[in-house]
Amino acid sequence: MEETLVLVVGAGPAGLGIAACLTKKSIPYILLEKEDCCASLWKKRAYNRCHLHLAKEFCSLPFKPHAPQANKYMSKDDFIEYIDDYILDFDIRPRYYHSVESASFDEATGKWLVEARDILVKATKVFVASFLVVATGENGKSYIPDIPGLKYFKGDVMHSSEYKSGREFQGKDVLVVGCGNSGMEISYDLCNLGANTSIVVRNPVHVVAREMIFVGMHLLKYIPLSMVDAIVTFASKLKYGNLSKYGIHRPNEGPFFLKATKGRSPVLDVGTIAKIQSADIKVLPGISRINKTKVIFEDDVELAFDAIIFATGFKSTACDWLKDYDYILKNDGFPKNRFPNHWKGKNKLYCAGLSRMGIQGASKDAIAITNDIEMVVRAMIAS
């Protein structure tokens, strides 16, 4: 059994931000990570051409802005280098290969009991902490919908987290399921590298240029969200025209409103829309069922594919191991309280990186949580 003041679970950007903030305040902590590296989503589960969707000024962690010479929209490799430098700068030492299996609050002692399996030595360790921070993020495990006939599909099936490059699909008929940023960018990559690409677009989605969001995020500092949404939507219409004739429909609510209230991000176009407008990428409706090599769509059209790539997102895993998750989380693993009061729960339990506000949100969480821990510790010492 090992005791610490603060136990942080997860060494992604949120957990690293917490660790840096705690270090700055000289608050002792232990950081557990089940993978063999930090930021495993970026290092292991991101496709090659992946970039930050937002400008670098909105994607830094506490106390370390990005270098002036860094690209405005940083590549995966550049961001990973930033993360590795961050660990060195703040002397962060995650305990890798530690998979948390159970965490519960002990009413008698007023502390958290956390059981973690050391994957290397195949033993279970017990940690005791006054404060527990859930920093496992929004992307704990990949999600693939249960489509009738999928398990009998004769071609390749993968989640977007397994996708690296379109080179292996050259000359093949590939279906991408999911029209978020990953789905759209993977479709673009596949098309550019010689795959016959189709994408399923089921739900309304905003399509914008990256600079529109960049300007919009600055405008939010000065004018109401509804006005920013009107400006960005108008700019999108001017640039892309009426996309409904291509099977892409705009939501009734604005892009920033949807992000703030439902966590739904607009698509930041990297060139996919031009490919769709030129018919190089085909837009298809939802899938009804799959029959061996053929996919039957909701309009009863049947098409054969060599591969299906699911860009259908992830699910939080926190509720799988956090036995008292009701102190702070809902059943889906996301906070019970609405932004900006989402990060604090009962019994000195916190969550970071679950605000659906990206790296900027995780950074704000880290600062708020650490300030609160410091305040509670001071009160404990004074009492």
Side-chain angles (χ1 to χ4, degrees):
M1 184 179 293
E2 187 173 358
E3 188 162 355
T4 184
L5 186 64
V6 183
L7 186 71
V8 183
V9 182
L16 297 176
I18 291 281
C21 290
L22 291 170
T23 297
K24 292 283 282 187
K25 293 181 180 293
S26 299
I27 297 174
Y29 71 91
I30 291 174
L31 173 58
L32 302 181
E33 168 57 50
K34 68 178 180 179
E35 298 286 348
D36 61 352
C37 63
C38 64
S40 62
L41 181 67
W42 284 90
K43 292 184 175 181
K44 292 184 173 183
R45 296 185 285 167
Y47 43 93
N48 292 348
R49 62 164 290 119
C50 183
H51 286 68
L52 290 177
H53 291 136
L54 300 180
K56 63 183 180 182
E57 65 189 86
F58 301 111
C59 298
S60 61
L61 294 175
F63 310 115
K64 187 175 174 62
H66 292 289
Q69 67 270 21
N71 291 328
K72 186 175 183 179
Y73 298 98
M74 296 173 68
S75 69
K76 177 183 76 169
D77 290 343
D78 288 343
F79 186 69
I80 288 173
E81 183 178 351
Y82 167 82
I83 289 290
D84 289 340
D85 288 343
Y86 194 82
I87 288 177
L88 292 174
D89 289 349
F90 295 99
D91 193 27
I92 301 171
R93 302 179 185 182
R95 306 260 187 108
Y96 296 121
Y97 297 106
H98 279 70
S99 178
V100 174
E101 298 189 328
S102 174
S104 57
F105 185 71
D106 185 356
E107 296 280 356
T109 61
K111 295 185 177 183
W112 287 91
L113 300 179
V114 179
E115 294 184 1
R117 181 168 53 89
D118 187 325
I119 299 172
L120 289 180
V121 301
K122 298 180 180 179
T124 298
K125 299 179 181 178
V126 178
F127 297 88
V128 179
S130 298
F131 301 86
L132 177 62
V133 183
V134 178
T136 46
E138 303 170 11
N139 305 316
K141 59 182 177 183
S142 56
Y143 169 72
I144 293 180
D146 185 15
I147 298 173
L150 176 59
K151 63 181 179 180
Y152 302 113
F153 179 65
K154 298 297 184 181
D156 297 323
V157 175
M158 68 168 60
H159 188 266
S160 58
S161 59
E162 303 170 87
Y163 177 89
K164 296 301 178 185
S165 169
R167 288 187 177 87
E168 63 184 284
F169 298 99
Q170 186 175 9
K172 294 184 178 181
D173 296 312
V174 184
L175 177 65
V176 178
V177 181
C179 60
N181 280 296
S182 293
M184 287 289 197
E185 193 161 352
I186 287 172
S187 297
Y188 180 73
D189 189 55
L190 285 163
C191 183
N192 279 345
L193 292 171
N196 303 314
T197 309
S198 301
I199 183 171
V200 169
V201 178
R202 294 185 59 223
N203 301 315
V205 62
H206 283 286
V207 178
V208 296
R210 292 191 297 194
E211 291 303 316
M212 295 177 192
I213 294 300
F214 176 74
V215 172
M217 293 184 77
H218 280 288
L219 288 176
L220 285 172
K221 302 173 185 177
Y222 308 104
I223 61 177
L225 183 147
S226 58
M227 292 181 63
V228 177
D229 268 343
I231 292 169
V232 171
T233 301
F234 180 69
S236 175
K237 289 179 180 177
L238 282 179
K239 181 174 178 63
Y240 298 109
N242 181 11
L243 293 176
S244 61
K245 59 185 176 183
Y246 301 104
I248 301 172
H249 302 274
R250 288 189 179 90
N252 294 324
E253 300 94 344
F256 284 100
F257 177 83
L258 284 174
K259 182 63 177 175
T261 58
K262 299 179 182 178
R264 288 172 53 189
S265 298
V267 168
L268 280 64
D269 181 43
V270 295
T272 313
I273 297 303
K275 295 288 186 182
I276 290 172
Q277 291 171 328
S278 65
D280 291 314
I281 296 176
K282 300 178 181 64
V283 174
L284 298 169
I287 299 173
S288 174
R289 64 190 186 280
I290 295 172
N291 183 11
K292 296 181 180 179
T293 60
K294 289 188 176 180
V295 177
I296 298 91
F297 296 90
E298 291 175 350
D299 58 1
D300 292 328
V301 170
E302 295 186 16
L303 296 172
F305 291 96
D306 300 304
I308 303 176
I309 300 171
F310 285 91
T312 43
F314 299 82
K315 288 187 176 294
S316 170
T317 58
C319 293
D320 295 342
W321 54 266
L322 183 59
K323 303 309 176 185
D324 296 312
Y325 69 82
D326 188 54
Y327 290 155
I328 194 170
L329 303 175
K330 299 179 293 185
N331 291 337
D332 62 0
F334 284 91
K336 295 174 70 173
N337 298 325
R338 297 188 64 174
F339 181 88
N341 302 310
H342 60 284
W343 50 269
K344 185 175 182 179
K346 299 177 182 178
N347 297 325
K348 300 191 279 288
L349 174 64
Y350 304 89
C351 65
L354 290 174
S355 65
R356 291 189 170 103
M357 297 293 175
I359 297 168
Q360 184 182 49
S363 184
K364 290 180 178 179
D365 289 349
I367 294 169
I369 289 168
T370 307
N371 287 341
D372 194 75
I373 290 174
E374 182 185 39
M375 183 180 67
V376 174
V377 169
R378 287 181 182 272
M380 291 167 61
I381 295 173
S383 62

